[in-house]
Amino acid sequence: MPSTVPELNLQNSQRLFDLIRDGKLYISLQDAIALALENNLTLASFRYNFPIAQADLQRTKAGGNANGVNTGVVSTTASGGFGGGGGSAASNATSGNGGLVTTTLGAGAAVPSFDPLLIFSGYVQHTVTPEPNVSQVGVELYKVNNIEVQSQYQQYFPLGTYLQVNYTGFRAANNSPYFAVNPELLSTFQVQLQQPLLYGFGLASNERFIHIAKRNLQGTDLAFQQQVIATVTDIENLYWDLVNAYQDVQVKTRSLEYANQTLTDDQKQLELQNIPALQVMKDQSAVATSEGDLTIAKATLRHNELLIKNDLTRTDDPSIDEITVIPLDLQGGPDPNESKSITQLIDEAMKNRPEVAIFRNAAEVQRQSVKDINSELLPQLYLYGYYGGTGAAGPKNPNCDLSPASCATSLPTDFASMFANTFNYSAPQYEVGVNLVINLRNRVVKADQFRAVLAYRQSQIAQEQQQKTLRFDIRDSQFALVQAQARVAAAQKARDLAQNTFDIAKKEQDVGAISRYDTLVMEQSLAVAESAFFTAQTLYEKAKADIDRATGTTLDRTGVSIDDARNGVVTHLPQNPDVVPAKP
């Protein structure tokens, strides 16, 4: 019977609507991660790889080859406008055969189907033959009614053993007086066994596709973990981009408010003729600049809202598309990877990163494939055995026109006796023998075997290259983190200096030492410094997320349950330690 798969559920999870208050979506970082685990379509698509891998395993248990599972890991988001560290890890590794180049992976002696086969056939036949020579059958019109039923059971086993059982039942009735038994009943029984002794012998050869499918199943689990890490990292990056845009709008709003207030005050002073008109024109130019800056900041915020909502929803919802997103966490907490040495980080990565185990699995499959293909070089030597039995029966022909001796018979008359005689060794047939086939050159297989060894050497190089790439990735992420820390420290000093300068300018303005426009310039410098500081903070948070990805500790740090990710239902919120919440 065909298998069925449930229809897609493209409804957004209830958690999304629970976070909406007063027409705004309030989300913390842990809320964003939880929504991604429940609604992200990349993860939803990847979950189908688990039953695909199980189906592949079931296929190989029947003797089929492993079709493979697409375990490519992809980035789930578009860029929000800020870079951090080495970016999200993406791998295009695919288990199984594919591409234009034929691979020798899994090559070896042909694997038969292990599923048993049951065959039935039968017929009823009636013929009438005119006989010009009556002496042959005793009648002018020779009439025959035949009934035959055949059944066969055949099956291969993992050792390479082949079993075939045949049973045939036959009934023939005619109108000839020259037969002592009419109708005739006949049955035959046959058992055949064949065992390869060289080519195609053994569990290692005939179950190699099962081992590959099991490795692919493990690889699917590891690749899903890798995909979850990539998705969580991307969500963290989008969230911090949203925070940056949200804070930048607040800075630009305050700057515009101060510019408008300065313009209002200077217009009053102009009416009193205390300042020149040029001063007001400068104020108006500053307001126009601030309005433009605020418009750009709001557009950037809108863009980042759309990006994060796209990854936190399964389908477009008009009630969600236009809603404002308010981030609740404005700064992340300390990351334990910040204080670790490069050696400790590399050790963490070797232990935690799924890619390491994926490459080990692939190397093991390649190593075993080199062994399996050697069996194909062997001659074909088969040991076979055959046993058969025959039973016959039939009632005495009352129209027999032969001599009494010729019309006499000792055969049983009933079907049950005939069936018993088929199996009671009363008329046995048996045979034992060997078949040997030798390919005197076998160049095709020899070339495949040599290529398999070369491919194994390439896989060893690839594994070493992967470890080098991993170490470089960790060092690159650590350098990015150090640089991000330095940028934050420098930006914070610049912001503090701009704040102090602005405070002094306001005091001097109050005593008439400088003009309001000079103070406005100081405020604009402060706004630039604050925006630069928030951008540096965003890069720092993204660098922390990236070093967690590089060391494979993202899920541990965020408290993401891989079971929740696999089920698509978050039973407990991911952890979000020591974040700095937004002000109401």
Side-chain angles (χ1 to χ4, degrees), residues 111-172:
V111 178
S113 174
F114 299 139
D115 283 348
L117 197 62
L118 194 58
I119 303 172
F120 292 99
S121 63
Y123 67 88
V124 176
Q125 182 187 60
H126 173 72
T127 60
V128 178
T129 307
E131 292 289 343
N133 191 346
V134 178
S135 62
Q136 289 186 351
V137 293
V139 292
E140 293 182 354
L141 290 177
Y142 181 51
K143 301 178 180 180
V144 179
N145 291 323
N146 291 333
I147 300 175
E148 184 176 66
V149 176
Q150 297 177 343
S151 60
Q152 183 181 91
Y153 178 90
Q154 54 182 263
Q155 184 175 4
Y156 281 92
F157 296 92
L159 282 176
T161 308
Y162 174 67
L163 169 66
Q164 180 176 309
V165 181
N166 299 317
Y167 179 79
T168 301
F170 181 76
R171 180 186 185 275

Side-chain angles (χ1 to χ4, degrees), residues 456-511:
Y456 176 55
R457 297 298 180 223
Q458 285 182 321
S459 71
Q460 290 178 310
I461 294 176
Q463 186 175 12
E464 181 61 32
Q465 187 177 19
Q466 184 256 358
Q467 292 182 358
K468 286 184 62 179
T469 302
L470 185 146
R471 295 187 184 97
F472 178 83
D473 187 21
I474 295 171
R475 291 188 177 94
D476 190 44
S477 296
Q478 189 189 45
F479 292 156
L481 181 63
V482 172
Q483 290 174 344
Q485 287 175 315
R487 289 193 189 100
V488 170
Q492 186 169 7
K493 290 180 180 178
R495 185 195 64 174
D496 293 343
L497 180 60
Q499 181 68 56
N500 293 334
T501 303
F502 174 67
D503 292 340
I504 293 173
K506 287 184 66 177
K507 292 179 181 179
E508 292 182 352
Q509 173 193 312
D510 292 340
V511 298

Side-chain angles (χ1 to χ4, degrees), residues 174-471:
N174 60 72
N175 63 340
S176 174
Y178 291 174
F179 288 83
V181 175
N182 192 11
E184 297 179 29
L185 302 178
L186 182 69
S187 69
T188 60
F189 167 73
Q190 298 173 344
V191 177
Q192 299 178 26
L193 282 172
Q194 180 177 277
Q195 176 63 54
L197 301 179
L198 295 175
Y199 175 93
F201 171 77
L203 297 177
S205 175
N206 292 294
E207 291 188 345
R208 65 182 185 274
F209 293 135
I210 298 177
H211 300 319
I212 292 176
K214 288 182 177 179
R215 291 283 182 181
N216 288 349
L217 190 60
Q218 296 173 1
T220 302
D221 289 333
L222 292 168
F224 181 70
Q225 182 179 347
Q226 188 181 357
Q227 181 64 71
V228 174
I229 290 175
T231 301
V232 171
T233 302
D234 287 339
I235 293 300
E236 288 185 284
N237 290 338
L238 283 184
Y239 183 84
W240 294 122
D241 285 340
L242 175 67
V243 169
N244 179 270
Y246 175 78
Q247 291 175 318
D248 195 48
V249 167
Q250 292 180 320
V251 170
K252 298 298 192 295
T253 300
R254 290 196 302 267
S255 182
L256 177 59
E257 290 174 352
Y258 191 83
N260 280 323
Q261 183 61 46
T262 301
L263 175 61
T264 300
D265 293 341
D266 281 351
Q267 285 175 337
K268 293 178 180 179
Q269 293 297 320
L270 178 62
E271 292 175 358
L272 299 176
Q273 297 183 347
N274 291 332
I275 60 174
L278 181 62
Q279 181 70 38
V280 174
M281 294 179 62
K282 290 181 179 180
D283 293 341
Q284 291 173 338
S285 176
V287 169
T289 301
S290 297
E291 288 176 343
D293 291 341
L294 180 59
T295 300
I296 295 174
K298 287 182 176 180
T300 302
L301 175 60
R302 176 62 176 161
H303 175 65
N304 281 278
E305 288 176 345
L306 291 175
L307 285 176
I308 198 166
K309 284 188 290 186
N310 182 63
D311 265 30
L312 302 185
T313 56
R314 295 179 190 170
T315 186
D316 287 336
D317 186 336
S319 64
I320 302 296
D321 290 344
E322 302 301 324
I323 202 170
T324 301
V325 182
I326 306 297
L328 298 179
D329 301 325
L330 301 185
Q331 184 179 345
D335 192 312
N337 287 320
E338 294 182 71
S339 59
K340 294 180 181 179
S341 66
I342 189 64
T343 302
Q344 290 174 311
L345 294 176
I346 292 175
D347 291 341
E348 286 279 346
M350 290 298 179
K351 181 176 65 175
N352 296 323
R353 281 186 70 158
E355 299 96 313
V356 176
I358 290 173
F359 267 82
R360 287 173 183 167
N361 266 349
E364 179 60 28
V365 170
Q366 287 280 5
R367 185 187 66 81
Q368 186 61 43
S369 181
V370 172
K371 292 183 178 180
D372 294 338
I373 200 173
N374 289 336
S375 66
E376 199 174 0
L377 293 169
L378 300 174
Q380 299 182 31
L381 177 61
Y382 294 95
L383 173 66
Y384 70 89
Y386 163 87
Y387 172 80
T390 304
K396 187 175 180 180
N397 187 357
N399 300 319
C400 184
D401 198 19
L402 302 175
S403 64
S406 298
C407 288
T409 177
S410 61
L411 291 177
T413 60
D414 58 326
F415 175 83
S417 299
M418 176 206 66
F419 189 76
N421 289 338
T422 305
F423 298 96
N424 65 5
Y425 202 69
S426 59
Q429 304 173 38
Y430 46 83
E431 180 183 349
V432 177
V434 294
N435 289 325
L436 177 62
V437 179
I438 301 175
N439 189 329
L440 295 180
R441 301 190 73 178
N442 211 9
R443 288 177 290 177
V444 172
V445 177
K446 177 61 180 174
D448 288 345
Q449 181 270 336
F450 184 54
R451 178 168 177 166
V453 176
L454 297 175
Y456 176 55
R457 297 298 180 223
Q458 285 182 321
S459 71
Q460 290 178 310
I461 294 176
Q463 186 175 12
E464 181 61 32
Q465 187 177 19
Q466 184 256 358
Q467 292 182 358
K468 286 184 62 179
T469 302
L470 185 146
R471 295 187 184 97

